[in-house]
Amino acid sequence: MEIIKTVDLKKSFTNQTVKTEVLKGINISINKGDFTGIVGPSGSGKTTLLYCLSSLETITAGNVFFMGKDISKYSEIELANLRKYSLGFVFQFYNLIPNLTVYENVLLPKIIANKKEDNIESILETVGMLNYKDYYPNQLSGGMQQRVAIARALVNEPTIIFADEPTGNLDQKNGLEIMKILKKLNKEKDITVILVTHNEDYLEFCNKKIHLIDGRTS
Ligand SMILES: Nc1ncnc2c1ncn2[C@@H]1O[C@H](COP(=O)(O)OP(=O)(O)OP(=O)(O)O)[C@@H](O)[C@H]1O
Ligand SMILES: [Mg+2]
């Protein structure tokens, strides 16, 4: 089943008088259960593409379809609901809230979505962080913080996880661990993963590759 499709997607940024065309007509299709890797040189538009696919960034022209629906036509409320209930995000810098514990950081999106506090411990177990549930982020290594960030992305049972260089700040061993967790979620929970990475070695985890060069797929 097709979960994301773009038709001639374009994105430009205009700063004062200068217009920069970053995405120059992207046509891609991603199926449910795919593990997609977006690669390409720095500045080629990878993050911009990920943000346009996940509705974090508005698009300039073309269409982005999520399960057949054109999200560029969604209202702000519809977009907020899509992000809250169907999408999970993992970034290079873990963005955990420093004065909340591991448990509370993972719980937070549930509270925001008005859901019951039920499966937090099992999710922490999935990412191997249950023993650290009462720790604060600054008491954890980078790899551990990223596991918590993945747990937080999982808490509302997303259909898709978008990850922008989730291993970018980690050493090789911890980076590989994070990739294995994402792969496990992809296989066992059928979560679609869309990942931006600089590391070509990680493409072996992906069944689909999007290679961007100067705002176009190659
Ligand atoms: N908010 C913005 N305003 C203006 N230009 C922007 C903005 N965001 C991105 N750009 C420009 O878009 C281009 C692509 O940026 P993007 O962050 O998508 O690249 P990237 O492929 O993710 O690079 P990297 O590998 O370094 O993270 C760059 O030239 C950047 O300067
Ligand atoms: Mg980037």
Side-chain angles (χ1 to χ4, degrees):
M1 186 182 75
E2 189 173 61
I3 194 161
I4 287 194
K5 177 184 166 169
T6 69
V7 177
D8 212 17
L9 162 62
K10 294 185 178 156
K11 175 68 184 176
S12 310
F13 292 102
T14 309
N15 292 336
Q16 280 123 26
T17 52
V18 186
K19 183 176 163 192
T20 317
E21 204 180 15
V22 177
L23 301 177
K24 301 173 180 171
I26 304 281
N27 294 287
I28 55 170
S29 165
I30 293 170
N31 289 327
K32 182 149 174 45
D34 276 346
F35 196 116
T36 302
I38 302 176
V39 289
S42 183
S44 58
K46 303 182 297 297
T47 295
T48 306
L49 176 60
L50 195 80
Y51 281 27
C52 288
L53 296 180
S54 60
S55 82
L56 291 178
E57 192 69 87
T58 57
I59 67 174
T60 310
N63 313 84
V64 177
F65 295 93
F66 177 77
M67 306 243 254
K69 289 198 185 132
D70 187 343
I71 63 168
S72 33
K73 304 210 162 44
Y74 275 25
S75 68
E76 266 313 310
I77 290 174
E78 286 172 312
L79 286 175
N81 282 332
L82 174 73
R83 291 191 287 256
K84 227 176 341 183
Y85 299 110
S86 303
L87 312 181
F89 296 94
V90 181
F91 302 99
Q92 179 174 353
F93 302 99
Y94 328 112
N95 299 338
L96 299 175
I97 297 179
N99 55 350
L100 296 183
T101 64
V102 163
Y103 185 94
E104 291 163 345
N105 264 284
V106 177
L107 175 63
L108 193 60
K110 273 216 139 164
I111 295 174
I112 292 169
N114 241 324
K115 287 191 179 171
K116 277 210 314 272
E117 177 179 343
D118 51 7
N119 58 346
I120 310 294
E121 298 205 342
S122 75
I123 289 172
L124 283 172
E125 179 86 69
T126 307
V127 299
M129 286 300 292
L130 185 55
N131 289 342
Y132 298 88
K133 72 185 173 77
D134 297 321
Y135 282 56
Y136 288 88
N138 69 3
Q139 298 172 313
L140 304 174
S141 72
M144 289 168 158
Q145 289 186 60
Q146 193 60 299
R147 286 163 190 252
V148 177
I150 292 175
R152 179 182 56 186
L154 283 175
V155 79
N156 286 327
E157 296 168 5
T159 319
I160 310 188
I161 288 186
F162 292 94
D164 191 2
E165 306 210 33
T167 63
N169 237 9
L170 302 175
D171 60 33
Q172 203 182 358
K173 178 171 161 285
N174 280 297
L176 198 58
E177 283 305 313
I178 293 299
M179 288 303 294
K180 284 182 181 163
I181 290 174
L182 290 172
K183 190 69 196 176
K184 184 170 88 171
L185 296 170
N186 173 247
K187 270 197 176 150
E188 294 175 8
K189 295 190 191 262
D190 198 29
I191 295 176
T192 306
V193 177
I194 306 179
L195 163 97
V196 169
T197 182
H198 263 114
N199 190 333
E200 301 263 335
D201 290 347
Y202 293 155
L203 287 178
E204 71 183 69
F205 288 86
C206 305
N207 71 306
K208 188 166 276 178
K209 286 148 213 167
I210 295 171
H211 199 230
L212 274 189
I213 294 178
D214 193 22
R216 290 192 172 86
T217 52
S218 67

